[in-house]
Amino acid sequence: MKKPVYMDYAATTPVDPAVADEMMKYLTLDGVFGNPASRTHAYGWQAEAAVEAARKQVAGLIHADPREIVWTSGATESDNLAIKGAVGDRQDAHIVTSKIEHKAVVDTCKWLERQGTEVTWLDPAADGTISFDQVLDSLRDNTVLVSLMLVNNELGAITDVVAIGAELRKRGVLFHVDAAQAAGKMVIDVTSMPVDLLALSGHKVYGPKGVGALYVRRSPDVRIDAQIHGGGHERGMRSGTLPTHQIVGMGKAFSIAQSGLEEEVVKLEALRESFLVGLESLEGVSLNGSESRRVPGIVNLSFDGVDAESLMLGLRDLAVSSGSACASATVEPSYVLRGIGLSDEQAHRALRFSIGRYTTEEEVAFASSQIVDVVTRLRAVR
Ligand SMILES: *Cc1c(COP(=O)(O)O)cnc(C)c1O
């Protein structure tokens, strides 16, 4: 069977072959398989050196000090560690987030809310961005943390974390940013971006699944409580034997992302443009999320008069995402699209197309012609 064209890079990316090659060297007897925490022999020292080299590569992409990188199992864990770790055992804490964050942030904040933490849930603007004023208005005397994503995974919209972070810094409120969808898609520079905690994932950037990192600022010194206890790895913030091969893979992936960033953004902008030009003959198509403040790889579109489920059935040759979660047999519309003010009906008409490193002009041309055909056909039989 011919595989469908992959247009779901925001869900995950294939591992870059250069990354897979590198990872292979850290698994078997003839490779570097030692425990990076083994201090008594060369097996351990070599593994530790590999972990530290990867730490530099990951830090490099965001212009951090390697000592500010804490390895985790992925952005989900990084978000949990940042948010729960910042609140710690405070009884009367208040935190601020938005209604369109990733589930890793939403559900962590909901859990804290049940434990007694006060949570303000900001409503984004129609274009999927959160404004500086909204954040400022939400702050209270007991606000300990604001958590907002840099790039929204369903819309591709970019939040202005620089302006927000500067104000939070003045007021001594910690700022956590989920940058899982931003890494490798735009410049992230923590020397000019006043964030305290920043979550990263390996598998959204052509690295392996099951590895991530949390940036924890050293100056000013940010303290968070560990959520996983054990041998005191990662300066006590995250215990557990480090998965050398995963970490080496993420490091390699991030170094490739850094050296190819500009070129990749230009290429994806061009592919996005071709994709949208290919849809121009179709009436009643609207873009969800910001037209201008966005990354190139994510295109969320609503099609008048066509529901996403039927459209996806028709688009069998494309692997795309509806953003809807199938919760117990009923299909719930995306909470992100509802969050930017779309009705249930409008949200049910949306699909997310996400392109990446291996997407070609032929693929996007094929995709748009398929969409034109299927939407036209579905509208005709209405
Ligand atoms: C994918 C993603 C996550 C979760 O990352 P994992 O590494 O899969 O746990 C968190 N936040 C955003 C914005 C994401 O896109």
Side-chain angles (χ1 to χ4, degrees):
M1 192 190 92
K2 197 169 145 283
K3 279 203 248 174
V5 171
Y6 190 67
M7 293 190 86
D8 208 7
Y9 279 80
T12 194
T13 59
V15 170
D16 191 297
V19 169
D21 285 347
E22 198 59 29
M23 291 174 69
M24 288 298 290
K25 301 173 191 163
Y26 295 86
L27 290 161
T28 50
L29 178 63
D30 58 351
V32 179
F33 69 87
N35 186 330
S38 292
R39 288 282 150 79
T40 51
H41 48 69
Y43 295 90
W45 303 331
Q46 284 180 347
E48 189 193 19
V51 164
E52 294 316 311
R55 203 186 295 278
K56 251 192 206 146
Q57 291 171 314
V58 168
L61 183 70
I62 61 167
H63 303 272
D65 183 317
R67 291 172 297 176
E68 296 176 311
I69 301 298
V70 173
W71 299 116
T72 66
S73 62
T76 299
E77 188 190 329
S78 300
D79 286 334
N80 272 263
L81 172 56
I83 299 168
K84 292 178 190 164
V87 170
D89 55 9
R90 281 187 193 76
Q91 288 308 306
D92 60 345
H94 169 241
I95 62 177
V96 178
T97 188
S98 90
K99 290 184 180 163
I100 61 165
E101 297 304 303
H102 190 271
K103 281 282 182 193
V105 167
V106 170
D107 287 0
T108 302
C109 292
K110 279 189 186 161
W111 181 83
L112 280 169
E113 207 168 33
R114 290 196 298 275
Q115 307 299 308
T117 303
E118 291 177 76
V119 182
T120 298
W121 300 92
L122 298 175
D123 276 307
D127 69 357
T129 59
I130 299 287
S131 78
F132 175 73
D133 294 332
Q134 280 178 287
V135 177
L136 283 199
D137 289 347
S138 72
L139 299 179
R140 305 184 194 162
D141 290 341
N142 59 338
T143 309
V144 297
L145 177 84
V146 173
S147 176
L148 295 173
M149 68 212 307
L150 184 46
V151 171
N152 184 277
N153 51 302
E154 285 192 36
L155 304 167
I158 300 172
T159 285
D160 185 3
V161 299
V162 174
I164 295 168
E167 198 58 40
L168 296 177
R169 173 71 53 82
K170 278 191 223 155
R171 294 160 187 249
V173 174
L174 289 177
F175 191 19
H176 168 57
V177 169
D178 179 338
Q181 289 292 347
K185 299 184 181 133
M186 59 181 281
V187 173
I188 305 176
D189 183 349
V190 295
T191 61
S192 59
M193 213 179 242
V195 305
D196 301 296
L197 300 151
L198 184 132
L200 297 166
S201 173
H203 75 96
K204 304 288 172 70
V205 194
Y206 310 93
K209 295 165 185 60
V211 64
L214 181 66
Y215 159 81
V216 183
R217 189 178 287 280
R218 281 173 73 90
S219 172
D221 195 17
V222 173
R223 292 291 157 104
I224 50 169
D225 288 358
Q227 302 301 309
I228 293 180
H229 306 275
H233 306 72
E234 299 298 281
R235 290 180 293 122
M237 279 182 270
R238 204 283 195 177
S239 289
T241 300
L242 294 175
T244 315
H245 63 301
Q246 302 284 84
I247 287 171
V248 163
M250 182 166 170
K252 180 76 179 174
F254 274 51
S255 107
I256 295 171
Q258 187 176 15
S259 54
L261 181 60
E262 252 171 88
E263 209 183 316
E264 199 145 297
V265 168
V266 170
K267 181 197 139 169
L268 291 180
E269 277 294 349
L271 287 170
R272 174 198 167 93
E273 188 56 28
S274 305
F275 176 58
L276 291 176
V277 167
L279 295 177
E280 266 170 4
S281 64
L282 210 54
E283 303 277 314
V285 182
S286 46
L287 180 79
N288 298 311
S290 178
E291 291 260 16
S292 51
R293 293 193 55 85
R294 49 144 187 89
V295 292
I298 300 175
V299 187
N300 194 310
L301 300 172
S302 285
F303 300 89
D304 289 357
V306 177
D307 76 89
E309 301 308 311
S310 325
L311 185 51
M312 272 212 292
L313 278 179
L315 292 174
R316 262 186 230 104
D317 294 326
L318 304 184
V320 298
S321 156
S322 70
S324 313
C326 297
S328 63
T330 63
V331 182
E332 293 276 329
S334 148
Y335 68 93
V336 171
L337 296 176
R338 297 284 291 114
I340 60 169
L342 267 62
S343 65
D344 276 2
E345 204 180 343
Q346 287 169 321
H348 272 309
R349 292 177 180 162
L351 283 184
R352 177 186 72 184
F353 303 88
S354 49
I355 55 177
R357 186 170 294 167
Y358 307 107
T359 305
T360 62
E361 280 287 350
E362 293 71 48
E363 285 180 336
V364 293
F366 174 74
S368 29
S369 76
Q370 289 277 301
I371 294 163
V372 172
D373 288 354
V374 176
V375 170
T376 307
R377 185 156 47 77
L378 288 172
R379 282 178 181 163
V381 300
R382 240 179 335 150

